Amino acid sequence: MAEIAVSPVPEVIDAAALARIQRQNRRENLGRMWFKFSRNPLSVIGLLMVIAIILLAIFAEFVTPFPDHVRPFTDFVNAKKPPGGEYLLGTDQFGRDILSRIVFGFRFSLLMAVVVLTLVVPVGVTLGMVAGYFQGTIIDTIIMRITDIFLSVPPLILALAIASVLTPNLTNSMVAVSLMWWPWYARLVYGLSSALRTEYFVSSAETIGARTPHILFREILPNMISPIFTKMSLDVGWVIIIGSMLSFLGLGVQEPQPGLGTMVAKGSDYLPTGQWWMAIFPALAIVVVVLGFNLLGDGLRDLFSAEEV
């Protein structure tokens, strides 16, 4: 009887080959995600707008024509000059270049959005996840009733109330917005974790004796990353709007710092006299920032929805 030759099966996979396969899979996944994302032209436009705004904010000192105009500066000879010539967007009542101040204003707006979301996302996600996992217990009742109290007050009113008690500056405006923003993440994650707590992979982790932190942060949280990340991208624009409102009312960025809301507030005093550029261009800058992040957020939402399907 003829013997059948069987090739030996390697017991140990080559680490270098495995690493190459993993890198190739990641590239393929990124390629598929980019293909789905790029099918929406508005999302690509939003991405380009966001990248341009971020780069301008980071390298503001090098791309603005008059970087000194964001510090205490006066030039009454060139005050209230209309757009054109040396000053592309005109000057304000102190002779400061509006274009330079708008670019630096992007930095303050993005700084507020980054700081606020960095503070509220971990707090809101953790509280919502704990309340959802322990649904029906006293922990759930305490966390969600506190959340409901915050949600019952209009966000802008709550932010104004908190900011008016504190000293008007950028830091305190961030605190005010953060205190009114975390409940939205707690409410979102509460619904998601309440549904995931009954899934088989959670039950399996409980059966083998996994600890609660492991179940929350290693089993439940990874399955909620997509909606959380999508909400974060959409919330950037809203945080910038709320921050600009606080600055417009004198509760945010203070002069001579170039907050976009502050520039609109100061420039609106000169609208009746015909110096429209002092208020219109900073207002348009706010529109551009918010529009860019909203378009990007819509694209990410559609992308993650397609991935889930």
Side-chain angles (χ1 to χ4, degrees):
M1 183 175 181
E3 295 182 357
I4 301 175
V6 179
S7 58
V9 178
E11 298 181 355
V12 180
I13 300 177
D14 184 13
L18 180 60
R20 286 195 300 269
I21 295 174
Q22 292 175 343
R23 287 196 298 268
Q24 182 178 359
N25 290 336
R26 284 195 295 266
R27 286 195 297 267
E28 292 177 354
N29 291 334
L30 290 176
R32 285 193 296 267
M33 293 177 65
W34 171 250
F35 174 75
K36 295 177 181 179
F37 181 83
S38 61
R39 292 174 65 184
N40 186 347
L42 292 179
S43 300
V44 178
I45 293 174
L47 176 61
L48 296 177
M49 292 171 64
V50 169
I51 293 175
I53 291 169
I54 293 174
L55 292 177
L56 287 174
I58 294 175
F59 301 103
E61 289 88 351
F62 306 101
V63 299
T64 53
F66 302 96
D68 293 336
H69 289 197
V70 300
R71 304 179 183 89
F73 177 88
T74 55
D75 182 11
F76 292 115
V77 175
N78 294 312
K80 304 178 184 178
K81 278 197 170 184
E86 186 179 7
Y87 303 100
L88 295 179
L89 300 185
T91 61
D92 61 9
Q93 68 274 25
F94 298 110
R96 298 174 299 192
D97 180 48
I98 292 178
L99 174 60
S100 299
R101 293 178 62 79
I102 286 176
V103 173
F104 277 90
F106 288 153
R107 177 178 295 181
F108 288 104
S109 297
L110 294 178
L111 178 62
M112 165 164 276
V114 170
V115 172
V116 168
L117 292 179
T118 301
L119 292 175
V120 304
V121 171
V123 174
V125 168
T126 302
L127 291 177
M129 192 164 49
V130 171
Y133 181 70
F134 294 101
Q135 187 178 27
T137 65
I138 187 65
I139 298 176
D140 169 27
T141 302
I142 293 175
I143 294 177
M144 296 317 297
R145 295 300 76 78
I146 295 175
T147 302
D148 291 338
I149 292 173
F150 277 87
L151 291 177
S152 64
V153 182
L156 181 58
I157 301 300
L158 180 60
L160 288 174
I162 297 172
S164 61
V165 176
L166 305 174
T167 303
N169 55 46
L170 178 62
T171 301
N172 288 336
S173 66
M174 293 177 182
V175 173
V177 177
S178 299
L179 288 175
M180 52 80 63
W181 213 272
W182 68 267
W184 300 98
Y185 284 89
R187 174 59 68 182
L188 169 68
V189 174
Y190 175 76
L192 296 173
S193 58
S194 297
L196 291 172
R197 64 189 289 267
T198 59
E199 295 292 336
Y200 289 116
F201 61 88
V202 176
S203 302
S204 300
E206 294 172 341
T207 302
I208 63 177
R211 295 184 177 181
T212 301
H214 174 87
I215 297 174
L216 292 176
F217 294 100
R218 300 294 297 273
E219 303 292 341
I220 296 179
L221 180 59
N223 291 278
M224 301 187 297
I225 292 299
S226 296
I228 292 173
F229 189 74
T230 301
K231 179 171 175 55
M232 288 176 60
S233 62
L234 292 171
D235 279 353
V236 172
W238 286 107
V239 172
I240 292 174
I241 289 178
I242 298 295
S244 299
M245 289 181 180
L246 294 177
S247 297
F248 181 86
L249 298 173
L251 300 175
V253 180
Q254 301 296 310
E255 287 280 1
Q257 293 177 329
L260 296 178
T262 305
M263 295 175 66
V264 174
K266 300 299 182 182
S268 61
D269 296 335
Y270 296 90
L271 285 175
T273 60
Q275 285 83 27
W276 52 269
W277 56 89
M278 296 186 194
I280 296 300
F281 285 129
L284 290 176
I286 297 174
V287 172
V288 170
V289 175
V290 174
L291 179 63
F293 279 101
N294 283 349
L295 292 177
L296 176 60
D298 289 339
L300 293 177
R301 181 186 57 195
D302 296 340
L303 172 64
F304 290 135
S305 298
E307 289 292 328
E308 292 175 358
V309 174

